[in-house]
Amino acid sequence: LEPPVCLQGRRFGAAVVEREMKSRTRPRLLQLEGAEGPRRYLLKREDLSLESATMRILCELNRQLEAHGLNFAGHPVRARTYTILPVGVAAGLVEFVPGAVTLGKLKRESKASGQDPQQRVLDHLRQSQSDIDNTSESLGECLNRLVASTVAYLVTNFVLG
């Protein structure tokens, strides 16, 4: 990293590779140090231009859904978005989302512990929301929040064809 580097209007002066992830493409988790504090990104060695365009569409869809006040059981219909920065056609940075876990990982954990896979997913939903806002949601509220975000992704798929 040639200091300073500017990404999304933020200036970063140093980068630290925290670890290499174990997924198929072996992305690296980076911590970029800047005046506003550290930011974490995954460095992926692949073209992320399509993913970046898709994320911009999700952001616009979220704005439209919010403008129309669409919600499900009191939860805004909204897709979870994050920053994707293509760096040419061979690499890009993806904002690291703390606490994000794949369904595959939850399934493996449930199998290893003997826990019902559906229960493992529900436990994760409850825990992740608690970590975000320090509240304890009922099972029904966790499911309503999941439905609201799923609706946003379904609408996106419909719009994109």
Side-chain angles (χ1 to χ4, degrees), residues 46-57:
E46 58 189 273
D47 183 4
L48 297 178
S49 56
L50 182 59
E51 289 86 346
S52 177
T54 302
M55 196 57 63
R56 287 193 304 273
I57 290 168

Side-chain angles (χ1 to χ4, degrees), residues 93-111:
L93 297 171
V94 177
E95 179 184 5
F96 183 72
V97 180
V101 178
T102 66
L103 287 174
K105 182 176 182 184
L106 294 175
K107 184 178 176 181
R108 286 189 302 275
E109 288 175 359
S110 70
K111 188 175 182 179

Side-chain angles (χ1 to χ4, degrees), residues 1 22 28 30 32 55 71 74 76 82 86 91 101 107 116 128 130 132 135 143 156 159:
L1 186 65
K22 295 180 181 177
R28 293 193 174 128
L30 303 179
L32 303 180
M55 196 57 63
N71 70 71
Y82 46 90
V101 178
K107 184 178 176 181
D116 175 62
S128 63
S130 174
I132 291 169
T135 63
L143 292 174
T156 302
V159 168

Side-chain angles (χ1 to χ4, degrees), residues 91-150:
L93 297 171
V94 177
E95 179 184 5
F96 183 72
V97 180
V101 178
T102 66
L103 287 174
K105 182 176 182 184
L106 294 175
K107 184 178 176 181
R108 286 189 302 275
E109 288 175 359
S110 70
K111 188 175 182 179
S113 69
Q115 185 181 25
D116 175 62
Q118 290 178 347
Q119 187 60 49
R120 177 67 190 103
V121 170
L122 295 174
D123 290 347
H124 177 75
L125 289 173
R126 271 197 217 108
Q127 182 60 47
S128 63
Q129 187 62 30
S130 174
D131 291 346
I132 291 169
D133 62 16
N134 293 319
T135 63
S136 179
E137 272 188 329
S138 70
L139 175 58
E141 284 302 299
C142 287
L143 292 174
N144 288 339
R145 188 170 36 85
L146 177 61
V147 168
S149 64
T150 302

Side-chain angles (χ1 to χ4, degrees), residues 12-122:
F12 296 100
V16 176
V17 177
E18 291 185 8
R19 70 178 189 265
E20 187 172 84
M21 310 303 269
K22 295 180 181 177
S23 64
R24 179 185 56 81
T25 59
R26 318 277 307 158
R28 293 193 174 128
L29 179 58
L30 303 179
Q31 181 165 298
L32 303 180
E33 303 289 340
E36 298 175 15
R39 299 280 177 153
R40 296 168 86 197
Y41 293 91
L42 292 173
L43 172 62
K44 298 183 88 175
R45 293 168 283 218
E46 58 189 273
D47 183 4
L48 297 178
S49 56
L50 182 59
E51 289 86 346
S52 177
T54 302
M55 196 57 63
R56 287 193 304 273
I57 290 168
L58 281 173
C59 288
E60 179 57 32
L61 177 68
N62 280 343
R63 282 190 282 280
Q64 294 297 320
L65 293 170
E66 183 178 0
H68 289 87
L70 190 59
N71 70 71
F72 178 82
H75 296 274
V77 172
R78 169 171 202 77
R80 174 69 163 105
T81 59
Y82 46 90
T83 304
I84 299 177
L85 301 168
V87 183
V89 295
L93 297 171
V94 177
E95 179 184 5
F96 183 72
V97 180
V101 178
T102 66
L103 287 174
K105 182 176 182 184
L106 294 175
K107 184 178 176 181
R108 286 189 302 275
E109 288 175 359
S110 70
K111 188 175 182 179
S113 69
Q115 185 181 25
D116 175 62
Q118 290 178 347
Q119 187 60 49
R120 177 67 190 103
V121 170
L122 295 174

